[in-house]
Amino acid sequence: LNGYTHLDNRTFFEGEAKGDDEFLARRIRPILTFQAGKDFSFRLMPDFAGSISNSANSSTRVFDVHADYRYMDGLQFRVGKFKPPVGLERLQSAADTMFAERGHPTNLAPSRDFGAMIY
């Protein structure tokens, strides 16, 4: 069991934008991983992000839910919803990025996809 959060505060002290202050939870992602025997592993990562000050903006999504089978060290199988191996910045975890926002070309690569993979 592990996970990470990314919080964002937007406060306007003076001016016409008064009243638009907001505290956002951009990412609240607990990660549940477990292993069954030595060959099977599973991962579940939901996201509970949304606006803390406005519960109407809160949403829950499942980002990763997949099962892996390790046939041997060089051959493994994965089934479920996971990051496809396309786009270097997408493969990097949000907790490991240098900046809070990703680059615009990253929007061209898929975030998560349903399927099966041999790797």
Side-chain angles (χ1 to χ4, degrees), residues 17-37:
K18 197 172 188 180
D20 291 334
D21 298 347
E22 193 171 33
F23 189 78
L24 295 170
R26 299 182 86 177
R27 294 176 184 94
I28 301 175
R29 296 181 182 171
I31 301 170
L32 304 167
T33 56
F34 55 96
Q35 192 154 345

Side-chain angles (χ1 to χ4, degrees), residues 42-79:
F42 304 93
R43 177 181 171 110
L44 173 65
M45 184 176 71
D47 186 16
F48 299 106
S51 174
I52 294 175
S53 61
N54 184 1
S55 61
N57 288 339
S58 64
S59 62
T60 302
R61 296 177 291 172
V62 176
F63 272 85
D64 288 340
V65 57
H66 58 79
D68 291 339
Y69 172 67
R70 190 176 105 206
Y71 183 71
M72 53 198 263
D73 287 338
L75 181 62
Q76 298 182 31
F77 301 93
R78 177 173 288 174
V79 176

Side-chain angles (χ1 to χ4, degrees), residues 4 12-13 19 38-39 41 71 75 78 80 84-85 87 93 97 99 104:
Y4 57 91
F12 301 95
F13 295 106
K38 65 176 187 160
D39 295 333
S41 62
Y71 183 71
L75 181 62
R78 177 173 288 174
S93 171
T97 57
F99 301 107
H104 287 298

